[in-house]
Amino acid sequence: MPKTANKSAHKATSAVNIPEQVAAHRAFFRSGQTRPLAFRLQSLHRLQESIRHRQRDILHALNKDFSKSSFEGYATEVGYVLEELSFTLKHLPEWVTPQTVPTPLVHQPATSVIYPEPYGVALILAPWNYPFQLVIAPLIGAIAAGNCALLKPSEFTPATTAILKEIVHQCFDPAHISVVEGAVPETQALLEERFDHIFFTGSTAVGRIVMEKAAKHLTPVVLELGGKSPCIVDRGVNLEMTARRIAWGKFVNAGQTCVAPDYVYVPQELKAELIAALCVQIQSFYGQNPKSSADYPRIISDSHFERLSRLMQSGRVVFGGNSDASCRYISPTLLDGVSWDDPVMQDEIFGPILPILGYDNLDEVFNEVASRPQPLALYFFSEDEGRQQRVLQELSFGGGCINDTLVHLANPHLPFGGVGPSGMGAYHGKYSFDTFSHHKSVMHRQMRLDLPVRYPPYGAVKQQVIRQIFK
Ligand code: NAD
């Protein structure tokens, strides 16, 4: 059993005691306890031990919330954050070390140093689709950077939230890290408070609300949002492997992944072949009847089930199309004959429905994608280096892969985040530490020498000197 940090009881949070809770965090931060490296490392170690110890409970909760398989639960949530914790614990001593940078000759003698410092009290707002990972991964960054944090998990995953609360209560002083449960009213009450940093993961629509609220206090925000992430298939690729990687990226978590391929563009003459290859791969993953597969999750809520059922009416179903409202099951579904005017192409799908669009030449695809809001991810399957370079140079997107899907977000050396309407700011690995740190720049001067050139009266000679120095 991991040691508990503090045995003081947590009060049930209501909108009424939110200001009190924020004040407790602020006092804890001001006490300076979160700043020493040793405190941060101990906090992260406690979290690591607790997650290891409770991993079965976490996986069980994820399964209870939306039938997530234990493999996916481990790979995308528990194992994912354990990896992030190990990486952070290993590198934190180096990240917290102030960095000395060069000083231009004109300012000598001097030493210039960047000091990372914690912002203070961070608010972390999370969605339901990876309900454990998307609370804990930003929390790791917040703790590593020396902040206090208040966590608001999604209201749609109560079993996972219950475990999260237990872990947080067991590992941390409630004035250091705390959890507020609730939905829109509680989030709105939280957003009335002044935080020193807000880290929001969720929809673009709610991201706008968060940013508007943050503006009142000029609080820095990171917005990890969504969007329609294209997957473009070039001529000349191995279609079997392409189909396997697309089907995996799309149907993991039943398509409820912010970076899931939203739609596929494929050369017209290869469309039938790609669809056939996708059908083969989907069946090899989930069998003839995905409803009975232990590896295929359910849709999170009735409203999302109804929304996705309506989207299945766009175009023509060429695979799947089955559903069961009683258990919110929607089978992996492929749509053909879809146009940009159809409902399924208006917003992020966020479910197991994959429209396949044909194209004649890549220019038309690039023009189409470039004219739409910048997506969170983009995937390009191609063996042609020239065309790979075109994608990288001509299209703006949060991040992505050449010849695969999703895996870019599992590399802690790569910053993860969106651009434009898919978000701002980034995290993972060192980027999480940087995201939750203010980088304080200080020039250390000495008192021995004081060149008079910068002081008035300036006169003609000083004007000449300054022009020689700054040119
Ligand atoms: P959401 O925006 O509805 O909810 C996110 C959080 O905001 C929740 O905690 C919720 O309680 C709160 N919230 C909801 N409505 C609110 C309101 N009106 N005012 C204040 N707070 C409110 O998102 P969701 O449905 O939970 O998640 C799905 C979305 O999240 C998708 O768009 C997906 O792409 C995106 N997402 C992005 C990432 C990423 O890393 N970029 C990861 C996962 C999900």
Side-chain angles (χ1 to χ4, degrees):
M1 275 290 284
K3 280 183 278 175
T4 49
N6 187 307
K7 299 232 187 276
S8 51
H10 276 252
K11 285 180 250 171
T13 306
S14 69
V16 182
N17 66 26
I18 282 173
E20 208 179 286
Q21 197 164 332
V22 176
H25 281 307
R26 201 161 289 291
F28 193 88
F29 179 70
R30 290 185 65 167
S31 75
Q33 293 175 69
T34 63
R35 287 176 181 258
L37 174 62
F39 178 88
R40 305 183 199 191
L41 292 173
Q42 281 159 12
S43 301
L44 293 169
H45 271 300
R46 272 201 307 276
L47 183 60
Q48 185 183 47
E49 272 184 63
S50 180
I51 292 172
R52 281 187 183 146
H53 180 75
R54 301 295 304 273
Q55 56 181 281
R56 272 168 187 260
D57 299 329
I58 301 164
L59 296 176
H60 179 72
L62 290 165
N63 188 270
K64 197 166 167 197
D65 280 331
F66 56 129
S67 306
K68 194 179 274 222
S69 72
S70 95
F71 181 92
E72 278 188 18
Y74 193 85
T76 66
E77 309 239 20
V78 175
Y80 178 86
V81 300
L82 286 176
E83 187 63 26
E84 185 80 3
L85 273 162
S86 303
F87 188 85
T88 305
L89 282 163
K90 182 172 168 205
H91 294 286
L92 190 55
E94 157 207 334
W95 298 343
V96 298
T97 306
Q99 192 196 346
T100 303
V101 295
T103 305
L105 199 58
V106 63
H107 302 299
Q108 297 289 358
T111 310
S112 299
V113 185
I114 303 170
Y115 297 91
E117 69 171 17
Y119 276 113
V121 183
L123 172 64
I124 295 174
L125 300 169
W128 51 263
N129 61 329
Y130 289 88
F132 191 74
Q133 185 215 127
L134 295 174
V135 174
I136 299 292
L139 175 63
I140 293 168
I143 294 171
N147 296 276
C148 290
L150 196 155
L151 317 173
K152 211 298 282 172
S154 171
E155 62 276 30
F156 291 108
T157 46
T160 308
T161 297
I163 300 288
L164 257 169
K165 268 186 87 171
E166 285 172 26
I167 290 174
V168 166
H169 294 181
Q170 187 182 33
C171 292
F172 306 112
D173 187 308
H176 179 208
I177 311 293
S178 72
V179 178
V180 167
E181 281 187 83
V184 177
E186 288 76 10
T187 316
Q188 285 170 343
L190 283 167
L191 290 170
E192 290 304 319
E193 297 299 313
R194 181 175 73 78
F195 288 91
D196 303 301
H197 189 278
I198 300 179
F199 188 101
F200 172 79
T201 308
S203 59
T204 301
V206 179
R208 284 202 177 91
I209 297 173
V210 170
M211 194 162 171
E212 223 178 294
K213 289 289 183 185
K216 186 172 142 199
H217 300 295
L218 286 180
T219 301
V221 289
V222 165
L223 302 177
E224 296 283 342
L225 310 177
K228 285 185 91 59
S229 298
C231 180
I232 306 166
V233 179
D234 193 7
R235 293 180 171 89
V237 290
N238 173 336
L239 278 187
E240 186 193 337
M241 192 184 294
T242 299
R244 189 180 313 128
R245 291 179 177 184
I246 295 175
W248 171 73
K250 177 67 187 186
F251 299 110
V252 75
N253 217 29
Q256 302 166 111
T257 302
C258 56
V259 285
D262 192 90
Y263 58 92
V264 176
Y265 257 125
V266 58
Q268 289 289 3
E269 74 277 11
L270 297 177
K271 188 158 51 148
E273 205 181 325
L274 181 71
I275 289 174
L278 283 166
C279 297
V280 169
Q281 295 304 330
I282 296 167
Q283 283 171 348
S284 79
F285 293 170
Y286 307 113
Q288 293 293 328
N289 180 14
K291 194 176 173 187
S292 58
S293 163
D295 296 328
Y296 190 69
R298 297 298 179 254
I299 303 305
I300 189 70
S301 66
D302 290 340
S303 66
H304 278 287
F305 177 86
E306 282 152 24
R307 179 182 65 79
L308 290 165
S309 301
R310 283 193 295 276
L311 295 186
M312 280 203 289
Q313 288 157 18
S314 295
R316 192 162 37 86
V317 172
V318 288
F319 183 81
N322 306 310
S323 61
D324 180 348
S326 70
C327 59
R328 300 190 308 275
Y329 163 75
I330 294 183
S331 67
T333 297
L334 305 179
L335 299 179
D336 193 4
V338 166
S339 82
W340 278 98
D341 297 328
D342 285 311
V344 78
M345 295 307 286
Q346 302 311 305
D347 292 309
E348 182 184 9
I349 297 171
F350 218 57
I353 302 169
L354 185 61
I356 318 282
L357 290 85
Y359 71 84
D360 292 316
N361 68 65
L362 268 178
D363 289 342
E364 64 189 81
V365 176
F366 283 19
N367 286 338
E368 192 66 65
V369 171
S371 70
R372 311 257 157 207
Q374 291 132 300
L376 183 58
L378 187 142
Y379 306 111
F380 186 49
F381 284 84
S382 175
E383 301 274 28
D384 183 285
E385 267 187 39
R387 289 196 284 274
Q388 291 177 2
Q389 282 307 316
R390 273 197 67 191
V391 166
L392 300 178
Q393 282 164 24
E394 294 179 30
L395 298 176
S396 175
F397 50 93
C401 306
I402 302 289
N403 293 325
D404 209 340
T405 60
L406 312 193
V407 290
H408 60 296
L409 68 76
N411 179 353
H413 298 282
L414 289 174
F416 176 71
V419 56
S422 58
M424 61 182 71
Y427 73 132
H428 290 179
K430 166 109 172 14
Y431 299 95
S432 296
F433 173 81
D434 287 340
T435 274
F436 284 98
S437 300
H438 164 62
H439 292 90
K440 190 159 68 182
S441 298
V442 177
M443 194 185 283
H444 295 259
R445 300 266 285 145
Q446 49 72 38
M447 298 288 279
R448 291 190 300 274
L449 190 68
D450 201 16
L451 294 177
V453 67
R454 74 179 188 192
Y455 301 114
Y458 299 121
V461 176
K462 286 185 180 177
Q463 298 254 15
Q464 270 186 357
V465 173
I466 201 74
R467 278 171 175 72
Q468 285 308 308
I469 296 171
F470 298 131
K471 51 187 177 190

